[in-house]
Amino acid sequence: MTIIPLPAFRDNYIWLLRAGACAVVVDPGEAAPVLRYLADEGLTLAAILITHHHPDHVGGVAELLALAPVPVYGPALEDIASIDHPVGEGDVVRLPGLGVELRVFDIPGHTAGHVGYYGESALFCGDTLFAAGCGRLFEGTPAQMFDSLQKLAALPGDTRVYCTHEYTLSNLAFAAAVEPANGAISERIAASEAMRAQNQPTVPFPLSGEMLTNPFLRTHEPAVIRQAETQAGRSLTSPVEVFAALREWKNRF
Ligand SMILES: [Zn+2]
C-alpha cells in the first residue's frame, strides 16, 4: 500500500491509499483533486473513509459517490448522510481492494464523534492530533480531547501520523513559545522550514517525535506546566487542566 497526499483547499490533505488498481480516500473535502488523481493514474475508487463531519472533510463525498457508488465508512456517532458503514471504537475496517485492515478509535474532542483509523503503522487522525499541535475543541471537553490524544500517544512510536492539515510551522511557533529552551522544537522548526521551502508536506510524521515537541502531549513536563500556569494566571493541579490552559492560550496565540 502506498499513501499519497492530495492537497485540497488552502492547507488540507486528502489521503489516498493505493495498491494495484484500487484506491481508498480519507476525508475527501472536495472531489476534484481525487478525480484528477484517479484518472491520471488509472485507479478505481474502492471506498471512502471519514473521520468527522466538518465540510472540509466530507464536502466531496456526494460527487464521488455519484460517479462510483463505493462503501463509505465514518463515525457512527455523527450525523453524516453518506455513511453506509458506521464505525466506532474497536471496529476493524477491511479496505476493499487493498488487502489492508484498519482499527477504529473513538477520539472525541474536536467533534463529538470523531474517529481515527490505524493499521500498517499508519494513523489517520483527522483534526485530532496535528504535528506539534491538536485540533480545536468545537464540540468536546478538554478532558475528552486529552484522553483522545493519550490514546493516540499510546500507539507504537514508529506510527506515521497522517493528519489532515498542514499546520506544522504555526504549531511549532506555539510550541517554541511554550518551551523556548526545548532544542528538539528548534530542530524540528529548522527541518520543517526546509521541507516547506521545497513545497514538501511535513505530514506524515513519526509519532515518536511528538512526545518531544508537541506541548499537548507534554502536559507532565515541569517547564510546560510552569508556562501554562503563567498564561492561566493560577496554579493548575492536573494534566487535563494544563492541557485546557494550553489549548486556550493557543486559541489566542
Ligand atoms: Zn474539523
Side-chain angles (χ1 to χ4, degrees):
M1 176 179 72
T2 312
I3 306 173
I4 312 287
L6 303 178
F9 307 112
R10 198 163 63 89
D11 52 28
N12 285 64
Y13 294 123
I14 298 167
W15 295 106
L16 183 141
L17 291 55
R18 60 179 289 182
C22 283
V24 168
V25 285
V26 184
D27 286 349
E30 54 180 345
V34 177
L35 294 172
R36 200 179 312 126
Y37 188 86
L38 293 174
D40 286 352
E41 299 288 320
L43 298 172
T44 303
L45 188 65
I48 297 170
L49 301 182
I50 293 171
T51 62
H52 67 291
H53 67 82
H54 285 158
D56 63 321
H57 296 252
V58 302
V61 173
E63 193 179 338
L64 292 173
L65 289 179
L67 296 165
V70 298
V72 180
Y73 300 84
L77 299 177
E78 298 197 346
D79 187 17
I80 304 171
S82 55
I83 292 175
D84 58 0
H85 289 66
V87 296
E89 180 79 22
D91 286 342
V92 173
V93 175
R94 288 173 189 82
L95 296 181
L98 296 192
V100 168
E101 290 190 349
L102 300 178
R103 189 148 47 100
V104 180
F105 292 102
D106 284 338
I107 43 174
H110 177 68
T111 62
H114 199 303
V115 297
Y117 302 90
Y118 169 77
E120 309 259 309
S121 296
L123 170 68
F124 301 93
C125 57
D127 289 351
T128 298
L129 173 65
F130 291 125
C134 72
R136 284 175 184 263
L137 306 183
F138 287 118
E139 297 172 11
T141 64
Q144 281 178 319
M145 188 59 139
F146 180 85
D147 288 346
S148 294
L149 292 173
Q150 290 299 312
K151 193 188 281 188
L152 298 181
L155 290 169
D158 66 355
T159 299
R160 295 176 69 74
V161 182
Y162 294 80
C163 61
T164 31
H165 287 279
E166 179 62 59
Y167 288 163
T168 308
L169 285 177
S170 60
N171 284 343
L172 283 167
F174 176 72
V178 177
E179 290 186 272
N182 182 332
I185 292 173
S186 33
E187 278 172 34
R188 193 172 182 187
I189 289 174
S192 300
E193 280 176 345
M195 292 170 92
R196 294 309 293 149
Q198 309 225 18
N199 210 23
Q200 287 174 19
T202 60
V203 189
F205 49 89
L207 184 60
S208 55
E210 292 308 296
M211 309 309 168
L212 304 173
T213 56
N214 189 326
F216 298 101
L217 293 177
R218 294 173 58 76
T219 50
H220 56 284
E221 290 288 331
V224 174
I225 296 169
R226 266 197 312 278
Q227 274 285 22
E229 287 182 333
T230 301
Q231 290 297 324
R234 62 190 177 88
S235 64
L236 303 168
T237 55
S238 73
V240 174
E241 283 190 18
V242 173
F243 171 82
L246 289 174
R247 190 54 260 186
E248 272 173 32
W249 178 16
K250 175 72 164 59
N251 290 347
R252 53 191 158 79
F253 183 75

